[in-house]
Amino acid sequence: MLKGKSAVITGSTSGIGLEYAKVLASEGVNVVINGFGDAGAIEKERAAIEAKGVKALYSPADMTKPDEIAGMIKLAETELGGCDILINNAGIQYVSPVEDFPDEKWNAIIAINLSSAFHTVKHAVPLMRKAGWGRIINTASAHAKVASPDKVAYVAAKHGIAGLTKTIALETAQDNITVNAICPGYVWTPLVEKQIPDTAKARGISEEEVKRDVILAAQPTKQFVTVEQVAALALFLCRDEAASITGALLSVDGGWTA
Ligand code: NAD
């Protein structure tokens, strides 16, 4: 049922976004991947996705630039025939007490983690209405529901994504389009993995202790969420069985927000 549809996934050159792209491609969905990174590594991932028997395009659009975002959706329209599935996933983090939080970090996080989704949705919804079907999935976070200190921009942006999700769900509710947010707790991605040795050294504790007592302090299962678990939920949201799930903030957080 998903075979032949088209998807745009922002921030899909690594981590959760890359897994979304792989899972959708495995179902026969043509994809536009997006994000930054080493050109050779991105091309390798793109080719591996295309080897699943779908079209896979790469858009280098910067999610801080509305005109580039418009160009990315246009690419899906001209090359893949539309944008049936939109996954807003690009995101960055910065950690600092508010009084020292740099203005440029605030602006970048709000632009990438929140405003980019406004711009993608604005251009994708008309294509979904034309196709008579659509799925919008926003990678939010447990931080769309609860806060942590020193993450003012990230928590504000993720709470904002929750509001955007609900609003667009209402605007598209009668158009065979669903709009949902996935709210992961800590997910095992290269981003998280890379922080562990330094944190262990800085605190004088073992890497296992960093995982359990520092990173997973708020996650009752004491297990990282996996990218496969997050992508499996996204895939379900794309299926016909999920047609009545819209405007929902779905936790995949090992009990964090319970
Ligand atoms: P990641 O760093 O592996 O992936 C982020 C992606 O966004 C990369 O492809 C990167 O190139 C891209 N990106 C960054 N800035 C960009 C820009 N200006 N324009 C275009 N692309 C840009 O991180 P991840 O952990 O896979 O995170 C993906 C999403 O999941 C983010 O929105 C993040 O907030 C959210 N999330 C992650 C976790 C976690 O524990 N890893 C938990 C909850 C939510």
Side-chain angles (χ1 to χ4, degrees), residues 53-78:
V54 298
K55 279 195 200 166
L57 307 173
Y58 167 62
S59 163
D62 182 341
M63 291 302 107
T64 66
K65 305 214 165 93
D67 54 331
E68 293 188 16
I69 295 172
M72 178 182 64
I73 302 296
K74 193 79 197 161
L75 177 74
E77 184 186 9
T78 53

Side-chain angles (χ1 to χ4, degrees), residues 11 13-16 36 62-63 89 112 139-140 154 158 184-185 187 189:
T13 52
S14 103
I16 298 168
F36 299 151
D62 182 341
M63 291 302 107
N89 175 76
I112 297 166
T139 310
Y154 189 86
K158 293 297 186 183
V187 185
T189 63

Side-chain angles (χ1 to χ4, degrees), residues 40-195:
I42 292 172
E43 174 50 26
K44 215 168 140 198
E45 295 292 3
R46 192 205 60 77
I49 292 169
E50 201 156 65
K52 293 174 186 286
V54 298
K55 279 195 200 166
L57 307 173
Y58 167 62
S59 163
D62 182 341
M63 291 302 107
T64 66
K65 305 214 165 93
D67 54 331
E68 293 188 16
I69 295 172
M72 178 182 64
I73 302 296
K74 193 79 197 161
L75 177 74
E77 184 186 9
T78 53
E79 298 296 320
L80 303 181
C83 177
D84 303 312
I85 299 165
L86 168 66
I87 306 189
N88 291 301
N89 175 76
I92 59 167
Q93 174 64 286
Y94 190 81
V95 180
S96 164
V98 66
E99 62 272 31
D100 300 324
F101 210 97
D103 291 356
E104 59 275 18
K105 291 291 182 194
W106 168 271
N107 289 335
I109 290 175
I110 296 300
I112 297 166
N113 297 21
L114 176 57
S115 301
S116 72
F118 160 73
H119 295 293
T120 55
V121 164
K122 186 174 177 172
H123 295 291
V125 161
L127 300 180
M128 292 178 182
R129 285 210 174 102
K130 205 165 130 196
W133 188 94
R135 293 288 188 264
I136 299 174
I137 298 166
N138 301 317
T139 310
S141 166
H143 282 127
K145 297 184 174 184
V146 296
S148 297
D150 303 333
K151 297 184 177 176
V152 63
Y154 189 86
V155 174
K158 293 297 186 183
H159 275 66
I161 273 288
L164 180 145
T165 301
K166 294 182 199 176
T167 305
I168 310 303
L170 296 182
E171 291 187 25
T172 58
Q174 295 180 33
D175 300 327
N176 213 14
I177 297 169
T178 69
V179 189
N180 293 289
I182 298 179
C183 301
Y186 280 100
V187 185
W188 186 252
T189 63
L191 194 81
V192 173
E193 195 177 352
K194 275 185 232 147
Q195 294 167 23

